[in-house]
Amino acid sequence: MGNGTSRLYSALAKTLNSSAASQHPEYLVSPDSEHLEPIDPKELLEECRAVLHTRPPRFQRDFVDLRTDCPSSHPPIRVMQWNILAQALGEGKDNFVQCPVEALKWEERKCLILEEILAYQPDILCLQEVDHYFDTFQPLLSRLGYQGTFFPKPWSPCLDVEHNNGPDGCALFFLQNRFKLVNSANIRLTAMTLKTNQVAIAQTLECKESSRQFCIAVTHLKARTGWERFRSAQGCDLLQNLQNITQGAKIPLIVCGDFNAEPTEEVYKHFASSSLNLNSAYKLLSADGQSEPPYTTWKIRTSGECRHTLDYIWYSKHALSVKSALDLLTEEQIGPNRLPSFNYPSDHLSLVCDFSFNEEPDGLL
């Protein structure tokens, strides 16, 4: 392995606290990616696995082929959606009573996160609860060819945790060799005209192979039972913003997020019935093509066991097709202590889909 790559990863293999920051300031800024030494993803994956050698191996997950009869002359667009669990919340607030403290140590947990990303090699990566953007994900992913954007929550709960690493927020990365950024919007969501603590990023990208444009958005809505109307209002605000950005669905749209809402909630129904003509990609894994997965998060807290479907990838069904989707972990794989664990770094499962443009998009009727 080249000395530059080893030096980079070795520096990032340690928790970058304030003292580490003074020793390695070049890794904590957000430099121009054109001046950074590229990293071979296979070599970085090997380094991650070396750090994780005492842990159980990664769970095996398979892609389910969902190909329709619509051929595409261009390679599919792989999109990953994932709430990666903010480090400050995992260690300080979320009370995962069945998860050993050692499983949450950042030095190893970040390697599990990187291993998951490197294993599926998404073209576009949509993340929530990112509180190590500048010291970990931006430096490493930029050297893998990604361009990143980070939008923190205005009042992140991470800031209440001692020895935190700054606020958490949403992050969006895309491969620069496949896409060109046309425009970007950071959206602070409102509810009943009030600005809230939840955010979204929406970017219009142009495919370099086909010159087709589309919008990709990432969000994380308000959590907790009792906030259903609040989430519904946030969803309506996001839909209105996306309506404007996509020029009334003229530009195809993909929306990734932790909506903190089951399919029975109003915010889900707003997205399902929107004039943007959206469908939820993971419904296609069900036998009837109409049912969401039984869970996308499964954890045990002091209040009890929580098994919910909260995470979604929405897409313009008139303009895009889902070629394949990554199957979820089984209950047996997850295990009796649920998530996170030594095997899996977050309490939420990653969702990964391959999309292609419909050659002749149907008109919106």
Side-chain angles (χ1 to χ4, degrees):
M1 181 174 295
N3 289 336
T5 302
S6 296
R7 187 172 67 89
L8 168 73
Y9 192 74
S10 296
L12 289 170
K14 302 172 184 175
T15 301
L16 287 173
N17 53 30
S18 56
S19 61
S22 63
Q23 295 171 28
H24 303 286
E26 70 271 26
Y27 302 135
L28 297 180
V29 297
S30 181
D32 184 348
S33 60
E34 292 182 3
H35 297 102
L36 297 174
E37 181 184 350
I39 303 172
D40 183 332
K42 292 181 180 178
E43 291 184 347
L44 182 56
L45 184 57
E46 287 176 9
E47 292 224 22
C48 287
R49 287 174 174 165
V51 173
L52 299 168
H53 73 279
T54 61
R55 294 203 179 201
R58 277 183 72 254
F59 293 123
Q60 176 63 39
R61 297 170 67 185
D62 297 317
F63 280 92
V64 178
D65 192 344
L66 300 168
R67 282 181 294 182
T68 61
D69 295 330
C70 302
S72 177
S73 55
H74 300 285
I77 298 168
R78 176 162 292 182
V79 176
M80 174 184 260
Q81 147 61 29
W82 200 12
N83 178 333
I84 61 172
L85 176 61
Q87 184 63 20
L89 300 184
E91 288 189 310
K93 279 199 165 192
D94 275 342
N95 298 315
F96 300 117
V97 293
Q98 295 297 104
C99 179
V101 174
E102 294 80 12
L104 295 171
K105 288 184 177 179
W106 182 240
E107 294 93 329
E108 294 185 9
R109 197 174 78 85
K110 71 177 173 187
C111 291
L112 273 179
I113 296 171
L114 289 167
E115 185 184 34
E116 182 94 344
I117 295 168
L118 290 163
Y120 300 122
Q121 299 182 32
D123 301 304
I124 299 172
L125 180 59
C126 295
L127 302 177
Q128 299 85 35
E129 291 200 23
V130 179
D131 64 346
H132 278 270
Y133 178 83
F134 292 106
D135 64 5
T136 301
F137 295 106
Q138 196 280 336
L140 281 172
L141 292 178
S142 68
R143 296 181 188 204
L144 291 169
Y146 290 91
Q147 179 172 326
T149 300
F150 175 64
F151 193 24
K153 296 173 185 172
W155 313 300
S156 167
C158 293
L159 298 177
D160 298 330
V161 179
E162 191 176 5
H163 307 304
N164 67 78
N165 198 59
D168 76 303
C170 291
L172 196 162
F173 294 90
F174 65 86
L175 282 178
Q176 296 180 87
N177 65 354
R178 290 210 63 186
F179 309 107
K180 179 176 71 175
L181 180 64
V182 177
N183 58 57
S184 181
N186 288 352
I187 304 165
R188 183 174 173 184
L189 298 175
T190 64
M192 296 158 270
T193 73
L194 298 174
K195 290 183 178 180
T196 74
N197 194 34
Q198 280 64 49
V199 300
I201 304 169
Q203 296 187 334
T204 302
L205 304 179
E206 182 177 302
C207 294
K208 292 186 175 180
E209 302 104 329
S210 66
S211 299
R212 297 282 294 270
Q213 291 189 3
F214 66 100
C215 176
I216 178 76
V218 57
T219 194
H220 189 187
L221 301 187
K222 173 67 181 172
R224 305 285 182 263
T225 302
W227 292 86
E228 291 82 3
R229 289 184 62 195
F230 196 83
R231 278 192 289 275
S232 178
Q234 288 182 325
C236 288
D237 181 51
L238 178 56
L239 284 169
Q240 184 57 58
N241 275 280
L242 295 173
Q243 183 86 17
N244 296 335
I245 291 169
T246 62
Q247 302 167 25
K250 289 182 180 177
I251 299 173
L253 174 64
I254 300 172
V255 186
C256 296
D258 175 356
F259 281 64
N260 274 308
E262 292 272 10
T264 52
E265 275 198 35
E266 285 300 315
V267 65
Y268 180 95
K269 295 173 183 176
H270 288 321
F271 271 74
S273 61
S274 164
S275 61
L276 291 170
N277 201 30
L278 300 174
N279 191 31
S280 177
Y282 264 71
K283 288 199 306 184
L284 301 178
L285 288 182
S286 65
D288 61 0
Q290 298 298 317
S291 305
E292 292 289 353
Y295 51 83
T296 61
T297 179
W298 202 339
K299 67 204 86 175
I300 301 174
R301 288 177 167 149
T302 50
S303 56
E305 189 163 349
C306 307
R307 176 181 180 265
H308 299 292
T309 300
L310 307 177
D311 307 274
Y312 307 97
I313 300 178
W314 298 91
Y315 68 99
S316 300
K317 56 188 176 184
H318 60 284
L320 296 165
S321 296
V322 184
K323 295 296 186 185
S324 62
L326 184 65
D327 210 352
L328 299 174
L329 293 177
T330 64
E331 179 177 358
E332 183 180 11
Q333 287 175 311
I334 290 172
N337 294 330
R338 310 313 183 199
L339 303 173
S341 66
F342 279 112
N343 299 77
Y344 201 78
S346 177
D347 55 323
H348 290 251
L349 299 175
S350 64
L351 308 181
V352 186
C353 290
D354 289 334
F355 289 97
S356 64
F357 287 102
N358 297 335
E359 293 303 310
E360 296 181 7
D362 298 326
L364 282 172
L365 301 176

